[in-house]
Amino acid sequence: MKGRGYWEIGGLLAGGVLILFGIVAIFMGVNGFTTTRDSLKGESIFFNTQEDDDAATNKYASAWYGEQVTTGEQARAFANIMREHQLERTGGLTYAEMGRYQSAAAPDDPKGTSDEEAAAKDESGQPISNGARQSWVTAVAITTALNMSYMAEQLSIFGLVVGVALLLTGIGLVIVALAVFGRRAEAAEGVPVRMPATPATS
């Protein structure tokens, strides 16, 4: 009898803890979701309009012409658009494929050079930085932040799903503890347990 009582108490405690964790997870998921979207909205980022005839926007965000970026999915689309634009500026070269300095032989070549001797020099004789390469630093910083917004929103949704699952599991444990172990304890004490009526057979 005592053993059954312990099982009942343990089930109730475990169920209560899971219900509590579920509520906390749901609250954190909702908070993360709304915070992410509020932060994106505060940046006032807008897609190009259809009249701009931008190939990258047509490819990644044709459903949101002229709209403000307010969701994680839109933030990821805008990050892809920025990357496409950056690749256009650098002739398809990424940050790692370009030299640190502007080339003296070909100043307009975004590839540049990492050789200080072959680099273009300023008035003080110092090598001039490769502007095309430096622009990647800004682009990567912004696109990373936008992609993080997408990831944060997805994690918030995952937290909501986990919270609901924990909540339902906790409720289920409480029901099992009360229905199974509680009923067995009543039977052991001699308390009549009502059984469902069975239809009479002829």
Side-chain angles (χ1 to χ4, degrees), residues 142-166:
I142 297 174
T143 55
T144 299
L146 290 168
N147 283 320
M148 285 292 290
S149 296
Y150 171 76
M151 185 178 72
E153 187 175 278
Q154 294 301 305
L155 287 174
S156 297
I157 294 173
F158 177 74
L160 283 169
V161 173
V162 171
V164 171
L166 289 173

Side-chain angles (χ1 to χ4, degrees), residues 107-182:
D108 296 329
D109 185 2
K111 186 174 181 62
T113 179
S114 292
D115 182 4
E116 291 190 21
E117 298 298 325
K121 307 294 194 301
D122 59 18
E123 296 179 354
S124 63
Q126 297 298 318
I128 299 175
S129 297
N130 186 353
R133 186 174 188 261
Q134 291 300 113
S135 67
W136 262 113
V137 177
T138 302
V140 168
I142 297 174
T143 55
T144 299
L146 290 168
N147 283 320
M148 285 292 290
S149 296
Y150 171 76
M151 185 178 72
E153 187 175 278
Q154 294 301 305
L155 287 174
S156 297
I157 294 173
F158 177 74
L160 283 169
V161 173
V162 171
V164 171
L166 289 173
L167 188 62
L168 294 177
T169 303
I171 293 172
L173 280 175
V174 170
I175 292 173
V176 168
L178 292 175
V180 177
F181 296 111

Side-chain angles (χ1 to χ4, degrees), residues 27-197:
F27 172 78
M28 294 179 66
V30 171
N31 185 59
F33 187 86
T34 55
T35 299
T36 300
R37 293 204 166 186
D38 289 343
S39 298
L40 283 171
K41 189 174 181 180
E43 295 300 322
S44 299
I45 303 171
F46 289 85
F47 291 105
N48 287 333
T49 63
Q50 192 168 5
E51 289 73 20
D52 293 324
D53 195 24
D54 177 60
T57 304
N58 295 337
K59 180 179 179 181
Y60 294 106
S62 59
W64 303 308
Y65 288 121
E67 292 187 17
Q68 184 177 1
V69 176
T70 57
T71 70
E73 187 178 359
Q74 290 177 329
R76 184 173 66 165
F78 200 89
N80 289 331
I81 292 170
M82 287 191 64
R83 180 176 174 80
E84 289 283 336
H85 288 168
Q86 187 61 27
L87 288 171
E88 290 173 6
R89 294 189 190 98
T90 61
L93 298 173
T94 62
Y95 178 86
E97 295 173 320
M98 294 183 287
R100 296 170 56 195
Y101 309 115
Q102 185 183 103
S103 173
D108 296 329
D109 185 2
K111 186 174 181 62
T113 179
S114 292
D115 182 4
E116 291 190 21
E117 298 298 325
K121 307 294 194 301
D122 59 18
E123 296 179 354
S124 63
Q126 297 298 318
I128 299 175
S129 297
N130 186 353
R133 186 174 188 261
Q134 291 300 113
S135 67
W136 262 113
V137 177
T138 302
V140 168
I142 297 174
T143 55
T144 299
L146 290 168
N147 283 320
M148 285 292 290
S149 296
Y150 171 76
M151 185 178 72
E153 187 175 278
Q154 294 301 305
L155 287 174
S156 297
I157 294 173
F158 177 74
L160 283 169
V161 173
V162 171
V164 171
L166 289 173
L167 188 62
L168 294 177
T169 303
I171 293 172
L173 280 175
V174 170
I175 292 173
V176 168
L178 292 175
V180 177
F181 296 111
R183 179 167 293 184
R184 287 180 180 176
E186 289 178 356
E189 293 173 359
V191 178
V193 178
R194 292 186 178 181
M195 300 298 292

